Amino acid sequence: MARSHNPVSRFGLWAVFVILAVLPLILRGYQLRLVTEVIIFSLYAVSYNLLLGYAGLLSFGHAMFFGTGAFAVAILLEHFAGLPLLLAVTLATAFTTATGFVVGCLLLRVKGTPFALLTLAFNALFYAIAVKWSSLTGGDDGLIIDPPQLDLWLLTLDPNKGPDFYYLSLAILGPVILFCWYFTYTAMGRTVLLMRENEDRMRFLGYNTLLARLSLFTLTAGLAGLAGSIYSLFFAFVSIDAISIETTTTVLLMTFIGGTGHFAGPILGAGVFIYLQNFLSELTENWPLIMGVLFILMVLFTPGGLVGIIKGAAQWTASRRKTPDLRKGAKNRHAHSGS
Amino acid sequence: MPILEAKGIHKDFSGLEVLTGVDFQLAAGERFAIIGPNGAGKTTLFNILSGAFSPTRGNVLFKGEDISRKPPHLRNRLGMSRSFQITNVFKEISVFDNVLAGVRSREGLRCHYLRRPFKNRGLLERTDEILMQVGLENERDTPAHELAYGQQRALEMGITLSTAPDLILLDEPTAGMSRQETEDAVQMIRRVTESKACIIIEHDMNVVFSLADRISVLHYGVILACGLPEEIRNDQRVKDAYLGQDNQ
Ligand SMILES: Nc1ncnc2c1ncn2[C@@H]1O[C@H](COP(=O)(O)OP(=O)(O)OP(=O)(O)O)[C@@H](O)[C@H]1O
Ligand SMILES: [Mg+2]
């Protein structure tokens, strides 16, 4: 359990931090934009995996929160001239969190298939509202955003500049992703995991499981909303695509490709997805088809996703090098990867 | 004041009347056994006491408070904990984490977003203590589903004890165990329920007679007889209804 003290992972964390900090010196323009996009979608996918991988809740409606955050920040900036950037993001996240709470209350007593279907229905409802309420959302045309400059004490960041926006999103989303990682070790994070295993028993141990699920659902909605708000600032534009079923499918694919059994899975998945999408869309118009086939193959043959493959390979090499009694420890370290 | 009181408990499942007026009282520190043939409604009674479902009629009083309509988690927080006839543990999780779940619940560390249970020395020590009590100290890191059957029953017991209850409800704790395992389990149950109130459902008469201060016989939805072990052993109605035919 004491993985956070593992010197290797601690070193790895610092290495990642340093690399991310100097990245704009190495990558320019378009390449840096891709990394920024990966960071944004990482939080979206991480928040999704807290539901899917940790709580065992398959949602087909995560885009409704991503889209709510994306639209909220755009609408706020449009209607309140002079609103500071960070305040707009904070308000958009708060609004999405509240939305998540309301939807969560309506979903309180359902799990499994009914949960999946109802989230799908809610997503469709949100989408319909966004289309109909075109005076607010811009309908099919979408909304163009003019993100204001961010004045920090000595420093002014211009969201229209690639490196500036990169640092901005890293500074906001990086700590939030780290918090999500920390969260999986907290009382609530462990509770969510135990509830997936055996919710019934939890009730007889003093846990209010309905409240716990509502609380988690609200959290993941807020996180998706934050990712969405940064997303629309990044493109300086938001359209109803942000709230569509495709955006739900995107997060589902990212999480599955990366693997639900490890915290880093969805981050890896977001990276692979975005680079692959970028690469394939340059080759052919039919890139969604190739992505679809790839996804089917992965679900069929590597249900653990990419992290599943990596873990399997690591275990295989370890078992070749040493006596095989490492297995017990390895199993426990990833207790949540279970099923 | 009795720690637990059942008053006229009725339960029907859409027409099937399983309990038809169960009354009893349990004193603090008392070990109480409920025996009765298969399908008598013993587990149903536990479900009603622990809050799995509400009685159709009647009341449950715990520590003087009417808890008949309270959900299970609130009853547990009041100091009541139950085990399950069919082992009901967290299968993919380590034995230690299984027990830690209840230990931290008792301390109110259930849904905290910042505090980490595995950083809390007191909780870890308390968990290890319980693992010692139920004899699982060497299986700390084993996922529950890899345990042998007897050990799974011990874990079931450990989880039940983990919230430090004042009233312990045990549903056939020795069912399916070998003779040796049963003997060990009886010793263990005697130790961990020392000076606590306990209700135990059991088919094994040796277990019942060696543990219980008082015995009730549940038969066709009512309590047929209730008394000291000696009285029950010699009760003619009980012999006719139960002991004669089903005494393994
Ligand atoms: N949730 C339920 N819905 C419908 N019927 C039920 C339910 N639970 C129990 N019953 C019925 O109630 C009766 C009593 O069951 P219960 O499990 O309480 O018996 P028991 O005394 O514990 O038996 P055993 O010794 O076999 O464990 C049975 O006929 C059972 O089919
Ligand atoms: Mg039973």
Side-chain angles (χ1 to χ4, degrees):
Chain A
M1 278 262 280
R3 267 181 79 219
S4 51
H5 290 301
N6 184 339
V8 178
S9 75
R10 191 155 270 193
F11 174 77
L13 209 62
W14 278 108
V16 169
F17 183 76
V18 169
I19 291 171
L20 287 173
V22 300
L23 212 55
L25 304 177
I26 307 161
L27 297 178
R28 306 251 149 218
Y30 186 64
Q31 286 303 322
L32 194 61
R33 284 183 67 81
L34 276 184
V35 179
T36 311
E37 210 177 322
V38 171
I39 293 171
I40 295 168
F41 277 92
S42 287
L43 177 62
Y44 183 36
V46 160
S47 73
Y48 187 73
N49 196 39
L50 290 180
L51 277 183
L52 180 63
Y54 285 83
L57 290 167
L58 176 63
S59 164
F60 286 126
H62 215 44
M64 66 182 141
F65 303 123
F66 186 82
T68 300
F71 272 109
V73 85
I75 292 166
L76 280 167
L77 288 174
E78 183 176 84
H79 290 267
F80 301 95
L83 190 68
L85 191 72
L86 291 184
L87 185 59
V89 169
T90 307
L91 289 175
T93 306
F95 178 73
T96 315
T97 308
T99 309
F101 177 76
V102 173
V103 174
C105 285
L106 299 171
L107 294 171
L108 197 57
R109 282 171 196 281
V110 295
K111 287 189 294 183
T113 312
F115 178 83
L117 292 178
L118 276 172
T119 50
L120 185 66
F122 270 108
N123 204 140
L125 179 70
F126 272 58
Y127 184 75
I129 292 173
V131 171
K132 289 279 176 231
W133 201 348
S134 54
S135 59
L136 195 66
T137 63
D140 285 333
D141 298 332
L143 290 177
I144 293 173
I145 307 168
D146 182 19
Q149 285 199 342
L150 180 64
D151 287 311
L152 299 172
W153 184 43
L154 280 176
L155 190 80
T156 301
L157 288 181
D158 181 358
N160 298 309
K161 288 192 190 139
D164 287 24
F165 199 92
Y166 169 82
Y167 282 122
L168 180 71
S169 57
L170 190 62
I172 296 175
L173 303 182
V176 175
I177 292 174
L178 275 181
F179 168 76
C180 291
W181 174 72
Y182 176 89
F183 170 78
T184 62
Y185 294 93
T186 63
M188 179 63 183
R190 301 301 297 175
T191 294
V192 161
L193 200 63
L194 289 157
M195 273 170 56
R196 184 191 72 181
E197 281 291 312
N198 191 343
E199 178 169 342
D200 183 54
R201 186 70 195 240
M202 290 299 267
R203 300 192 308 140
F204 291 95
L205 292 176
Y207 290 82
N208 186 342
T209 55
L210 292 184
L211 212 57
R213 194 160 50 243
L214 174 62
S215 166
L216 177 81
F217 190 80
T218 307
L219 170 76
T220 59
L223 295 171
L226 173 61
S229 67
I230 303 293
Y231 163 89
S232 57
L233 290 175
F234 177 58
F235 288 104
F237 173 73
V238 58
S239 78
I240 46 174
D241 284 347
I243 211 162
S244 67
I245 304 290
E246 282 82 72
T247 305
T248 286
T249 318
T250 302
V251 79
L252 192 72
L253 287 174
M254 286 173 172
T255 311
F256 253 104
I257 289 173
T260 56
H262 190 277
F263 182 80
I267 299 174
L268 188 63
V272 169
F273 183 96
I274 285 179
Y275 275 92
L276 203 63
Q277 181 190 48
N278 182 61
F279 173 70
L280 290 175
S281 61
E282 274 174 19
L283 292 183
T284 163
E285 290 250 295
N286 297 325
W287 64 269
L289 194 75
I290 301 179
M291 296 287 278
V293 171
L294 198 75
F295 178 60
I296 291 171
L297 291 177
M298 289 213 61
V299 171
L300 282 178
F301 297 110
T302 58
L306 292 175
V307 286
I309 297 175
I310 294 171
K311 264 197 265 178
Q315 262 171 24
W316 186 74
T317 43
S319 69
R320 299 207 89 200
R321 222 179 299 149
K322 294 184 185 168
T323 42
D325 58 17
L326 280 168
R327 276 187 52 237
K328 218 165 222 177
K331 226 174 279 167
N332 272 309
R333 238 174 282 138
H334 300 296
H336 85 262
S337 61
S339 44
Chain B
M1 184 187 71
I3 187 167
L4 184 77
E5 199 173 348
K7 285 186 183 167
I9 304 283
H10 284 252
K11 182 73 193 177
D12 36 291
F13 293 108
S14 49
L16 175 68
E17 296 199 329
V18 175
L19 298 175
T20 54
V22 173
D23 294 87
F24 68 86
Q25 293 192 346
L26 184 70
E30 188 181 18
R31 278 197 209 100
F32 185 65
I34 296 176
I35 62 174
N38 290 114
K42 304 180 297 295
T43 298
T44 303
L45 181 60
F46 263 23
N47 283 335
I48 286 168
L49 296 177
S50 64
F53 32 70
S54 309
T56 314
R57 259 180 301 139
N59 299 85
V60 181
L61 274 69
F62 182 55
K63 297 180 178 173
E65 187 182 343
D66 189 339
I67 57 163
S68 318
R69 309 280 147 192
K70 276 201 195 309
H73 67 271
L74 293 183
R75 300 190 194 202
N76 176 273
R77 290 181 199 177
L78 287 173
M80 173 195 291
S81 185
R82 70 169 291 185
S83 78
F84 289 80
Q85 182 172 355
I86 298 165
T87 306
N88 192 2
V89 301
F90 305 96
K91 290 205 180 74
E92 301 286 339
I93 309 262
S94 74
V95 165
F96 187 86
D97 284 354
N98 264 269
V99 174
L100 181 61
V103 171
R104 66 187 171 91
S105 171
R106 168 70 178 193
E107 297 302 316
L109 195 55
R110 299 185 195 94
C111 292
H112 205 284
Y113 271 73
L114 295 174
R115 285 173 59 195
R116 290 169 297 177
F118 73 93
K119 288 278 176 183
N120 186 323
R121 280 269 292 286
L123 294 182
L124 303 184
E125 278 165 15
R126 175 92 193 96
T127 305
D128 276 326
E129 235 169 72
I130 290 173
L131 290 182
M132 291 280 268
Q133 283 179 350
V134 298
L136 287 176
E137 65 274 15
N138 294 327
E139 304 292 342
R140 272 178 115 243
D141 298 329
T142 313
H145 70 92
E146 286 184 12
L147 294 175
Y149 178 78
Q151 293 177 317
Q152 292 202 6
R153 294 307 289 170
L155 179 58
E156 178 69 44
M157 191 73 201
I159 296 174
T160 306
L161 295 173
S162 63
T163 55
D166 305 315
L167 169 62
I168 302 169
L169 307 175
L170 301 176
D171 197 344
E172 303 200 18
T174 71
M177 286 186 176
S178 70
R179 187 169 293 272
Q180 184 59 46
E181 284 175 330
T182 303
E183 256 167 49
D184 294 345
V186 168
Q187 296 287 338
M188 185 251 282
I189 293 169
R190 183 174 293 126
R191 248 181 291 123
V192 299
T193 59
E194 196 64 55
S195 76
K196 291 187 172 185
C198 172
I199 306 181
I200 176 165
I201 294 176
E202 215 10 285
H203 281 297
D204 186 328
M205 287 307 140
N206 294 326
V207 174
V208 172
F209 285 118
S210 67
L211 277 176
D213 302 322
R214 207 151 57 92
I215 299 173
S216 261
V217 182
L218 190 65
H219 193 62
Y220 289 117
V222 290
I223 290 185
L224 182 69
C226 182
L228 301 172
E230 280 317 303
E231 295 168 2
I232 295 298
R233 212 195 286 270
N234 299 321
D235 188 303
Q236 194 54 48
R237 290 169 307 165
V238 176
K239 280 184 190 165
D240 294 344
Y242 185 55
L243 286 182
Q245 47 149 32
D246 184 61
N247 194 355
Q248 299 126 335

